Amino acid sequence: MRVLRRLVIFLLLLIVLALSALVTLLPTLAKSPEVKDGIQKAAHEATGRAFAYTDLTMGLFPPRLILVNPELAGDTPTAAPFLSASNVDLRLAILPLFARTVLVDSLVIEDASLNLRRTADGFVLPVREKRDAPTPKDPAPKDREESAEGTGVSFGLRSFALRNANLSVLDETFSPPAKLGLHEIEFLAAGTSSTGPINLSLKARLPQGGGIAAQGSSTLDGALDLVLDIEKMNLSALEPMLKRGRSVGGALSGSIRVQGPVAAPSPLVVELSSEDLALQWDEVQYNGPLDLRAELTGPLDRPMGSFEADATQGEINYGDAVFTKPSGKPAKVTGKIRTLEDGSFELDDVHLKIHTLDATARVQMEPLALVINAAPFSLQGWEALLPALAGSPLQGQLGLEELHVDLDPLALRGNIQLKDVLTTHPTTGSPIVLRGTFNAVGQDVRSQNLEVELGEQRFLVEAQLSQIFSESPHYDLGVTAQEVSLEKLLLAVMADEQAMATGPLSLLGHFSGNLSDGDSVLKGVTGQMRLDIGQGQLRGVSLLRSTVERFGELGNVALALGKQKGGSTLQKFYEDTFESVSGTFLLANGVAKTDDLNLRYEDYIVDLNGVFGLLDESINAKGKLTILPEVDEALAEAAGAEDVKGEARVIPLAEVRGTLSEPKVVLTQKTVVGLLTTYSSAGEKLSELEKDIDEVLGEGAGKAARGLLDSILGGGE
């Protein structure tokens, strides 16, 4: 027994001496050029890239490896190193090795820097392509059993840490390439056993501003229970990843909770907010606070779940002053995210709230389009959201029925219902009421059963708007009215205290033009109309008076003679009340042209043809004035005739100029003299007239008048 005991002591002594020698020699071996060269060659063989380090330290109690300044080259000679660090410290637990378990007690990497490059083929990684190897022979049954069972060596991790690490990603799938990354990364993964969950913690700074922090755990098979907090992330870092015409700015904060497998978390809960989001997405602009929340399940490339967003405090603008939602107006949306069979996304069961609009919708993401339904909702206050109606308060209701809206390119399809929609005239503030339906197809909108009420007068309108989203939207209007009040209509559209004309108006017209003409709509309008006005008034306008006043000096002589001889006055025929006005007009270039304007008064009739200015109310016409017998008698009596029986007489109007409120009649001299001769001859001979003219106008005036008449009429009495 004593010999056996001495033998055991001797063997233990040998083992201790051997281990001591190994511990003593191991650091020396690790630093030898042969070991360094072998490690670098092995790394190059595995990755296809150069690998270098400055120092390597190895220990046995505990098993430990320290690598100083390791560096794995980039994929090109000028590229930054793929991976580098100042120090890598690996420690293994010694006792589990006896149970065929490699348990990493700790792995600490300091000042690591990882530079990734992404191309259209994916990330460029340091992995040497595998060469085609010969197909191995079918293993023997025993070998198959051993292969199925594996090597029997298990692996575990107690602690892994990154200290002051940096991650940079250059994504060349965008133009220009997008640069993303994380700086000052502090990461710790620590477990209590080789099979239990691993506790995770992360802190990092974002290059453009802000930071992230994560806390949670992971199982060995990749199931996470992790919360990622984002603090004031500068969103401008994402701008290189957006298409032309899109940009983003502001700071984003919030949290993302992941539970379940990384590739298919269940659920993935996202709660994000921004106080100063600045987003440009094609024609849509957003500025201000925004709150987002989503709860998703399933694979990340085919998510399902719900979402909600609140943009009440933000400002939304669409197009060139087409739509503007000011801050404070309600704007909320909720819905569900679905993945379709082709892999595209759809938002379903969407509930949209904007101001008084409470709608349901479906949204297709690529290309962006939506289908919206809304029961009639109040339009009160919507003028603040529609710049084109600024200053024109809205009332009434509007409904949307299966309205399809395509945003790329912009197009509509569906029905828009108008129920007593009230706005105001931009100049007079008079109410304008619309009732009916608009049917939209593409960029064209056509009315159905549309009524327009202006100045409390009702018009039936057939409207078609074409290319409404283009730079030159076009309109075609058919307008019908039956005996509406012309006075109330004019007061509604003209800023006058008193209407220039009155009477019952019947109108049938068709008008077209470009809505983009702005203030020059009247100048650009084309079309035709027929108007008929019943008994009414052209305030202060008498074409008979304007005609008689144009008799000139000879007319004044005749009237003066008539008064001297007791002739009657024409004042009673200068009334501005008419029996009817009718005519057909062609509209173009800011004027209305007519060949058949007829103004019928009690004692005379005016027929005109020419043009009337739509913008300045100017007149450039000619025609005739037909006086009826009573007026004819009055003119003869004014010239001094007695017992004259009047008859209808036509007076040619060479020109009618001026404006509608102050028309100016031009008569040819021949017409004036002819009329004067007619009425003077009815009272006395020309020779006698000459004497009377001298008495009224002075010596020689009669002779001058006689000479003028002789030159026109050919002389003689």
Side-chain angles (χ1 to χ4, degrees), residues 554 557-559 561 635-636 639-641 673-686 688-689 693 709:
L554 293 178
V557 171
L559 294 176
L561 288 172
L635 285 170
V673 174
L675 289 170
L676 184 57
T677 302
T678 298
Y679 292 120
S680 298
S681 298
E684 55 186 312
K685 295 181 180 179
L686 290 177
E688 297 174 353
L689 177 63
I693 292 174
L709 291 174

Side-chain angles (χ1 to χ4, degrees), residues 118-191:
R118 182 177 180 234
T119 67
D121 297 326
F123 284 102
V124 180
L125 299 176
V127 178
R128 182 183 290 276
E129 295 183 1
K130 295 182 179 180
R131 299 178 181 178
D132 294 336
T135 303
K137 296 181 179 180
D138 189 28
K142 184 177 179 181
D143 294 335
R144 286 199 298 266
E145 183 178 348
E146 291 181 355
S147 176
E149 292 178 355
T151 62
V153 178
S154 62
F155 295 88
L157 174 69
R158 281 181 178 170
S159 177
F160 169 62
L162 290 174
R163 296 174 182 171
N164 193 34
N166 292 281
L167 169 65
S168 297
V169 179
L170 181 65
D171 197 331
E172 297 178 352
T173 61
F174 300 99
S175 181
K179 295 181 180 180
L180 304 172
L182 293 174
H183 291 175
E184 300 175 11
I185 302 172
E186 298 291 331
F187 175 74
L188 176 63

Side-chain angles (χ1 to χ4, degrees), residues 224-243:
L224 294 175
D225 187 355
L226 183 72
V227 176
L228 174 67
D229 293 316
I230 302 172
E231 183 179 2
K232 296 183 179 179
M233 171 185 175
N234 189 340
L235 292 172
S236 63
L238 304 177
E239 192 159 321
M241 304 171 66
L242 302 179
K243 296 179 181 179

Side-chain angles (χ1 to χ4, degrees), residues 150-286:
T151 62
V153 178
S154 62
F155 295 88
L157 174 69
R158 281 181 178 170
S159 177
F160 169 62
L162 290 174
R163 296 174 182 171
N164 193 34
N166 292 281
L167 169 65
S168 297
V169 179
L170 181 65
D171 197 331
E172 297 178 352
T173 61
F174 300 99
S175 181
K179 295 181 180 180
L180 304 172
L182 293 174
H183 291 175
E184 300 175 11
I185 302 172
E186 298 291 331
F187 175 74
L188 176 63
T192 57
S193 68
S194 61
T195 58
I198 301 172
N199 296 320
L200 305 173
S201 67
L202 169 71
K203 286 186 178 181
R205 182 177 61 82
L206 298 166
Q208 286 80 8
I212 61 172
Q215 198 78 27
S217 64
S218 171
T219 63
L220 292 180
D221 59 2
L224 294 175
D225 187 355
L226 183 72
V227 176
L228 174 67
D229 293 316
I230 302 172
E231 183 179 2
K232 296 183 179 179
M233 171 185 175
N234 189 340
L235 292 172
S236 63
L238 304 177
E239 192 159 321
M241 304 171 66
L242 302 179
K243 296 179 181 179
R244 185 181 300 273
R246 299 176 182 178
S247 62
V248 64
L252 184 70
S253 299
S255 66
I256 301 174
R257 180 166 187 174
V258 182
Q259 289 181 301
V262 175
S266 181
L268 173 66
V269 181
V270 180
E271 294 182 343
L272 301 173
S273 64
S274 175
E275 294 298 322
D276 57 353
L277 178 62
L279 177 66
Q280 174 81 50
W281 198 270
D282 299 331
E283 295 294 312
V284 178
Q285 293 180 343
Y286 187 95

Side-chain angles (χ1 to χ4, degrees), residues 490-547:
L490 291 177
L491 288 175
V493 299
M494 302 182 69
D496 297 328
E497 294 183 0
Q498 189 178 53
M500 183 184 67
T502 67
L505 167 68
S506 294
L507 174 67
L508 179 63
H510 179 269
F511 314 97
S512 62
N514 291 322
L515 291 171
S516 58
D517 290 338
D519 295 337
S520 301
V521 169
L522 285 177
K523 185 176 181 180
V525 66
T526 61
Q528 60 182 13
M529 67 177 179
R530 169 73 188 186
L531 62 81
D532 293 279
I533 307 173
Q535 187 174 24
Q537 185 180 19
L538 279 171
R539 299 187 191 276
V541 177
S542 171
L543 284 172
L544 177 62
R545 180 181 61 193
S546 298
T547 301

Side-chain angles (χ1 to χ4, degrees), residues 324-372:
T324 295
K325 187 205 81 67
S327 175
K329 291 286 185 183
K332 298 180 180 180
V333 60
T334 63
K336 296 179 180 179
I337 299 174
R338 294 196 308 122
T339 303
L340 304 180
E341 292 182 359
D342 61 0
S344 62
F345 298 108
E346 180 181 81
L347 305 183
D348 198 7
D349 196 20
V350 176
H351 181 202
L352 179 64
K353 174 73 174 178
I354 300 180
H355 189 39
T356 58
L357 169 67
D358 199 342
T360 59
R362 300 189 309 274
V363 181
Q364 173 185 297
M365 302 306 295
E366 292 292 342
L368 189 58
L370 62 90
V371 180
I372 184 169

Side-chain angles (χ1 to χ4, degrees), residues 2 34 68 74 86-87 111 132 220 252 268 285 290-291 295 303 324 375 432 447 476 504 511 526 542 647 649:
R2 183 179 299 177
E34 293 80 8
V68 180
S86 65
N87 193 75
D111 303 317
D132 294 336
L220 292 180
L252 184 70
L268 173 66
Q285 293 180 343
L290 178 67
D291 296 322
E295 185 169 335
T324 295
I432 303 173
S447 69
D476 283 281
F511 314 97
T526 61
S542 171
E647 61 183 65
R649 194 179 304 277

